[in-house]
Amino acid sequence: MFDRELDHLPPEVRWREWMNRVEATIFAASEPVARETLAKIVGKNCSIDLLIDDIREELRGRPYDLVAVAGGWKHLTRPAYADAIRTAVGGGEKATNLTQSEVLALMCIAYFQPITRGELSSFFGKEVSRDLIGHLRGAKLITSGPRSPTLGAPYTYVTTKEFLLEFGLDTLRDLPDFEALEDAGLLFKEKLLAGDIPVSLIGGEGDKAEDGEDKRL
């Protein structure tokens, strides 16, 4: 049987072995590794957070780190080496290319989820198209949430784990401070639902609808 506790080892050696197990598991994984997974390979009274802190301390000065993202931990290279990586192996661009309208719709979903397409349309004062929602779903940034208790029980939309990964967030609590955005009048839900959205948020090349043009996003 797999020995989690390692009681036969001196405390310092035991701690080092737990550190090695955790780092090796995270290194080998293609997705962020959750706390529950790491708990399977260390002693039941072992602090995962302290192990991670010690590993990160040893990685100080290295070109990569252990980062909390999407509810787990993942090895990520440091931003300072992004240009070198792009020069050597190419890529480095976001896998998902979003229009300004899609970014704004995604932002609203992130802050106000679960939210219906109708509510999103109220934010912008024009219909949010099914194609826009379909593109965000196809990129796996959003998915269907619970049905709304409103008339017709429309589907709501919520963000996904892939959304957290795409934007380097551990949880939705890591989104920019909501209260500051409210104070700026940018993300007050009742105000937006009333159609009072700052022009600066919906303007931009290619996103303004002229008279006679399609008013959908």
Side-chain angles (χ1 to χ4, degrees), residues 106 110 141 159-167 169 172:
L106 183 59
L141 297 174
T159 54
T160 62
K161 180 178 178 180
E162 284 75 11
F163 168 82
L164 297 175
L165 284 169
E166 182 77 11
F167 294 97
L169 304 174
L172 291 173

Side-chain angles (χ1 to χ4, degrees), residues 62-82:
R62 301 293 296 169
Y64 51 86
D65 193 8
L66 282 187
V67 178
V69 61
W73 284 278
K74 185 176 177 64
H75 276 286
L76 293 177
T77 53
R78 299 186 188 276
Y81 298 96

Side-chain angles (χ1 to χ4, degrees), residues 112 114-119 144-158 189:
F112 302 135
I115 187 170
T116 67
R117 189 166 67 93
E119 288 179 310
S144 295
R147 285 186 177 271
S148 171
T150 58
L151 182 64
Y155 280 108
T156 62
Y157 297 99
V158 297
K189 186 173 185 181

Side-chain angles (χ1 to χ4, degrees), residues 98 102 105-106 109 132-142:
L98 302 178
E102 289 166 344
L106 183 59
I109 294 170
L132 184 150
I133 294 296
H135 186 219
L136 294 179
R137 286 179 63 102
K140 299 183 179 180
L141 297 174
I142 65 171

